[in-house]
Amino acid sequence: MNQAKDNIYSIAQLGHAVLRLRAAEVENILADDCQQLINKMMLAVLEAGGVGIAAPQIHHSVRIFIMCSKPNARYPDAPLMAPTAIINPEILHYSDDKVKDWEGCLSVPSMRGLVPRYRQITVRYFDQQGKEQQKILTGFIARIFQHELDHLNGLTFIDQLESTKDLISEVEWYQQFATIQN
Ligand code: NI
């Protein structure tokens, strides 16, 4: 039942203190330990079938997350996006409007929530090569970015729900909303 914490694929679960910390800025992106952590996170998110993972979820309290979007059973409508490392992220601008859609989280197993997120955001971050990037993100990709950035600030999607009535079991979600299975 309890996985060893040093297992690289062991994902911190809701209630673990690391998920409630403000993660630290990355000082040296090109350092070996940082590059190894990024590579480990890329494997972990692929293995778990997620569309994103944040470093605190594998017990490293630093400001790094991976976005890795493609349609799968958990997210049938996800667009394609190659695994991308996002380091020291910031949101520079938010759209006026928010959209509610379903989210799950590797740290909140067996649940789905209908979460309001800004429809469009302008973001700045550093990539795995240490280059600064600025982008406008929309829709599902903007949603992943906001979900993962929350993890770096000690928040999960449950903290963003408008109502506890917007939280349902994953079994119910599959029965009511899933359109493809793979
Ligand atoms: Ni999550």
Side-chain angles (χ1 to χ4, degrees), residues 57 105 147 151:
Q57 293 182 276
C105 180
H147 175 119
H151 277 303

Side-chain angles (χ1 to χ4, degrees), residues 3-19:
Q3 283 180 293
K5 266 192 198 159
D6 54 0
N7 177 343
I8 62 164
Y9 301 122
S10 151
I11 309 269
Q13 300 294 294
L14 187 66
H16 195 295
V18 73
L19 296 175

Side-chain angles (χ1 to χ4, degrees), residues 119-136:
R119 186 182 53 79
Q120 183 168 288
I121 51 178
T122 305
V123 303
R124 181 163 62 200
Y125 61 91
F126 292 85
D127 65 21
Q128 188 168 4
Q129 285 71 45
K131 259 185 68 181
E132 189 176 305
Q133 302 281 347
Q134 192 164 317
K135 295 211 158 96
I136 296 172

